[in-house]
Amino acid sequence: MNLDLDPSSPVPLYAQIVEQVRRQVALGALRPGDRLPTVRDLAVHVRVNRNTAARAIQELERRGVVRTRVGQGTFVQDRAAEIERAVLEEQMDQAIDRLLVEAGNTGITLEALAERFADRLEKFRKKQAGKEGGEHE
Amino acid sequence: MNLDLDPSSPVPLYAQIVEQVRRQVALGALRPGDRLPTVRDLAVHVRVNRNTAARAIQELERRGVVRTRVGQGTFVQDRAAEIERAVLEEQMDQAIDRLLVEAGNTGITLEALAERFADRLEKFRKKQAGKEGGEHE
Amino acid sequence: MNLDLDPSSPVPLYAQIVEQVRRQVALGALRPGDRLPTVRDLAVHVRVNRNTAARAIQELERRGVVRTRVGQGTFVQDRAAEIERAVLEEQMDQAIDRLLVEAGNTGITLEALAERFADRLEKFRKKQAGKEGGEHE
Amino acid sequence: MNLDLDPSSPVPLYAQIVEQVRRQVALGALRPGDRLPTVRDLAVHVRVNRNTAARAIQELERRGVVRTRVGQGTFVQDRAAEIERAVLEEQMDQAIDRLLVEAGNTGITLEALAERFADRLEKFRKKQAGKEGGEHE
DNA sequence: GTGGTCTAGACCACT
DNA sequence: GTGGTCTAGACCACG
């Protein structure tokens, strides 16, 4: 359970936890049947108020990502991986769509946007290539 | 001054006003020298309290978008259009970059993302084309 | 009557007018018995609302700098010059005192302040010398 | 947190709070990491409405003097002390410069001003000396 | 008429 | 508990 929280982000701590756990489920870092840390442990581990940790887990349960069995702990649900994976892809498409709508509102032509996109992608690719080999975590 | 507020949005009313006015300045719907509605008129028009409208306009002044002269009203600043325009483009690039990073985190290759992007863009273009002719304003 | 108003200053327009007229009286540019422009003329001349001009003159009268004789106009009072001159010097001393108090509050020693003062004065003197001969108004 | 507000001052209450907190940071009475009183406590303490106190603290955050973490309180920022200190010194220099310009406008020679300054400083020094020993806090 | 400040009191989200 | 937003309504200074 590697969680990386940013207290100065506008997105609430509990939401950051939820998001990152869902992502780990989607990517297979957490697999169906895996046991999550207890609220207490989670709170200590990510240095957060116990209420915040509790709220995060509660939210995960509400979304059906995990299931709490009293006395035993909280476990990743069976079909969670595929569901979260689909959600992630759906979100990506939505992000793209938002970009397109935004471009329209801004008066940028779709052609110009596509160009811009290609441009940023190229830059990004180069930056990635530069990092190769220097990776630690 | 067409403003469209969503009271159920998590973004505060005053911030929604700020955002939309900035956009209108960036897009040239409001031009340097133009006078904004008075605080009172704005409040009535968008159905918020006078204080809320005042806060929005104060925020706009703080950002240098408008200049208020007591007793006369508030006016769009001279260089506001270009500045806001630049901000808007910068935001667009940032949105694209976030998309790229996000893709990386999700394990999607940049190629797959580019494909996906082209795909959504095509769909969007068609939808746009379909709307043509039904446009009034 | 040369008045130089700054609409973007925090000090109100009417107060700027008052201040500058008093200064001119103190410095002898306006002398006892001199007639001020009418409210109407003043307003046109300095490009200000008539209410603002009226308020300025009213304030000058309240302070005894000028005296309005209905049907004839407003005139600089007899002893105004010496009084305003004294006021000006008094204000200068007060400004100095404020500086001293401020230095105390800031934890700057009086020695350091004196040094600082000498320093700025030297710089100021040089800048003045540089301007000589290039003066137009 | 000793704050001394003057309700009859033309400078708004919230701005007075901002100013005094900044000064305390500059002078080291409040140090980086220190926690400010809560909005509610501050309001009670200086006898203003909660909104007024909140506005002051928001303004401080906007200026980067403090950082607020919802649910925890607001804390003095790391580099705030040096920044505010620099601002204070800058203001002092500006005050001196204003004095010099003012002297020029008034027709006082710089020599006369320097003399005057030395004179007031001497008086001030004596008054300070007289107070020694009577100080309690 | 304009904007600015302040109070009172309510409601909400986050920790 | 924390801060943030919003409304209602009053008062003030400026033009």
Side-chain angles (χ1 to χ4, degrees):
Chain A
M1 285 286 295
N2 270 338
L3 297 183
D4 179 23
L5 304 189
D6 173 12
S8 72
S9 157
V11 18
L13 292 178
Y14 84 92
Q16 292 184 42
I17 298 175
V18 168
E19 201 179 316
Q20 292 185 30
V21 170
R22 292 180 70 187
R23 176 175 307 272
Q24 297 197 10
V25 170
L27 302 184
L30 278 172
R31 323 177 69 138
D34 281 1
R35 185 169 173 273
L36 255 55
T38 65
V39 167
R40 207 189 199 93
D41 288 351
L42 178 60
V44 170
H45 186 233
V46 299
R47 303 252 187 94
V48 114
N49 189 294
R50 221 178 290 168
N51 292 328
T52 306
R55 181 159 182 187
I57 290 186
Q58 195 182 342
E59 180 74 9
L60 284 166
E61 179 145 34
R62 206 182 58 69
R63 287 182 183 271
V65 179
V66 301
R67 177 67 188 278
T68 299
R69 289 196 282 272
V70 278
Q72 306 191 41
T74 340
F75 302 86
V76 177
Q77 281 280 56
D78 270 2
R79 309 222 327 135
E82 29 193 326
I83 294 172
E84 291 308 312
R85 180 79 210 165
V87 167
L88 222 52
E89 304 222 338
E90 172 64 17
Q91 283 174 353
M92 176 121 323
D93 281 350
Q94 283 175 0
I96 295 174
D97 288 355
R98 251 179 282 127
L99 204 58
L100 294 168
V101 172
E102 178 63 12
N105 291 341
T106 313
I108 291 180
T109 67
L110 294 182
E111 284 72 27
L113 176 66
E115 209 171 295
R116 207 160 198 133
F117 180 83
D119 186 49
R120 307 300 297 181
L121 187 137
E122 200 45 48
K123 285 212 179 91
F124 190 74
R125 202 171 253 145
K126 277 189 191 137
K127 221 169 56 188
Q128 290 297 83
K131 278 193 196 166
E132 302 278 308
E135 301 272 304
H136 266 276
E137 38 184 332
Chain B
M1 284 288 294
N2 271 337
L3 297 182
D4 180 24
L5 304 191
D6 173 10
S8 71
S9 157
V11 17
L13 294 178
Y14 79 90
Q16 291 184 44
I17 297 175
V18 168
E19 207 177 305
Q20 292 185 31
V21 170
R22 291 180 72 186
R23 175 173 304 269
Q24 298 202 8
V25 170
L27 302 186
L30 278 172
R31 323 177 67 149
D34 282 1
R35 185 172 177 239
L36 257 54
T38 69
V39 168
R40 287 160 172 89
D41 286 353
L42 179 60
V44 170
H45 185 231
V46 300
R47 308 267 193 74
V48 295
N49 185 277
R50 207 148 60 73
N51 290 329
T52 305
R55 184 169 180 182
I57 289 188
Q58 269 173 296
E59 178 75 11
L60 284 167
E61 166 134 49
R62 215 177 50 64
R63 288 183 184 268
V65 179
V66 302
R67 169 102 205 148
T68 130
R69 290 194 282 268
V70 189
Q72 303 192 181
T74 85
F75 302 83
V76 177
Q77 279 280 55
D78 267 5
R79 311 221 334 133
E82 24 191 333
I83 294 172
E84 292 307 312
R85 179 81 210 163
V87 167
L88 221 53
E89 304 222 338
E90 172 65 17
Q91 284 173 353
M92 176 120 323
D93 280 351
Q94 283 175 0
I96 295 174
D97 288 353
R98 251 179 282 126
L99 203 59
L100 294 169
V101 172
E102 178 64 11
N105 291 341
T106 315
I108 292 181
T109 66
L110 294 181
E111 284 71 28
L113 176 66
E115 209 173 294
R116 205 161 198 132
F117 180 82
D119 186 49
R120 305 302 297 182
L121 188 139
E122 202 44 49
K123 285 215 179 85
F124 190 74
R125 202 171 253 144
K126 279 191 190 135
K127 220 169 56 187
Q128 289 297 81
K131 278 193 196 165
E132 302 277 307
E135 301 272 304
H136 266 275
E137 42 183 327
Chain C
M1 284 286 295
N2 270 337
L3 297 183
D4 180 25
L5 304 189
D6 173 11
S8 72
S9 156
V11 17
L13 292 178
Y14 86 91
Q16 291 184 43
I17 297 174
V18 169
E19 203 180 315
Q20 292 186 31
V21 170
R22 293 178 70 186
R23 178 174 306 272
Q24 296 197 12
V25 170
L27 303 183
L30 278 172
R31 322 176 70 138
D34 281 1
R35 185 169 173 274
L36 254 54
T38 64
V39 166
R40 206 187 199 91
D41 289 350
L42 179 60
V44 171
H45 186 233
V46 299
R47 303 254 187 90
V48 115
N49 189 294
R50 221 178 289 167
N51 293 327
T52 307
R55 183 158 180 188
I57 290 187
Q58 194 183 343
E59 180 73 11
L60 284 166
E61 179 146 34
R62 205 182 59 68
R63 288 183 183 272
V65 179
V66 301
R67 177 67 188 277
T68 299
R69 289 196 282 271
V70 277
Q72 306 192 39
T74 344
F75 301 85
V76 177
Q77 282 280 56
D78 269 3
R79 309 222 329 136
E82 30 194 323
I83 294 172
E84 291 308 312
R85 181 80 211 163
V87 167
L88 222 52
E89 305 224 337
E90 173 64 17
Q91 282 174 353
M92 176 119 325
D93 281 350
Q94 283 175 0
I96 296 174
D97 287 354
R98 250 179 282 127
L99 204 58
L100 294 168
V101 172
E102 178 64 10
N105 291 340
T106 313
I108 291 180
T109 67
L110 294 181
E111 284 71 28
L113 176 65
E115 207 172 296
R116 206 161 198 131
F117 180 84
D119 186 49
R120 307 301 297 181
L121 187 138
E122 200 46 47
K123 286 213 180 88
F124 190 75
R125 200 170 254 145
K126 277 189 191 137
K127 220 167 58 186
Q128 290 298 81
K131 278 194 199 166
E132 302 278 309
E135 301 273 304
H136 266 275
E137 40 186 328
Chain D
M1 284 287 296
N2 271 338
L3 297 182
D4 181 23
L5 303 191
D6 173 11
S8 72
S9 157
V11 18
L13 295 177
Y14 81 90
Q16 291 183 44
I17 297 175
V18 168
E19 206 177 307
Q20 291 184 32
V21 170
R22 291 181 72 185
R23 175 173 304 269
Q24 296 201 11
V25 170
L27 303 185
L30 279 171
R31 323 178 67 149
D34 281 0
R35 186 175 175 232
L36 257 54
T38 70
V39 168
R40 287 160 171 89
D41 287 352
L42 179 60
V44 170
H45 186 231
V46 299
R47 308 264 192 79
V48 295
N49 185 278
R50 209 146 60 74
N51 291 329
T52 304
R55 181 168 183 182
I57 289 187
Q58 269 173 296
E59 178 76 10
L60 285 166
E61 167 134 49
R62 216 178 48 64
R63 289 183 185 269
V65 178
V66 301
R67 169 102 205 147
T68 131
R69 290 194 282 267
V70 189
Q72 304 192 182
T74 85
F75 302 82
V76 177
Q77 280 281 56
D78 267 5
R79 309 220 336 133
E82 25 191 332
I83 293 172
E84 292 308 311
R85 179 81 211 165
V87 168
L88 222 53
E89 303 222 338
E90 172 64 18
Q91 283 172 352
M92 175 120 324
D93 280 351
Q94 283 175 0
I96 295 175
D97 288 353
R98 251 178 282 127
L99 203 59
L100 294 169
V101 172
E102 178 64 13
N105 292 340
T106 315
I108 292 180
T109 66
L110 294 182
E111 285 71 26
L113 175 66
E115 209 172 295
R116 205 160 199 132
F117 180 82
D119 185 49
R120 306 301 297 182
L121 188 139
E122 201 45 48
K123 286 213 178 86
F124 190 74
R125 203 171 250 144
K126 277 187 191 138
K127 218 168 60 186
Q128 289 298 80
K131 277 192 196 166
E132 303 276 310
E135 302 272 304
H136 265 275
E137 42 183 330

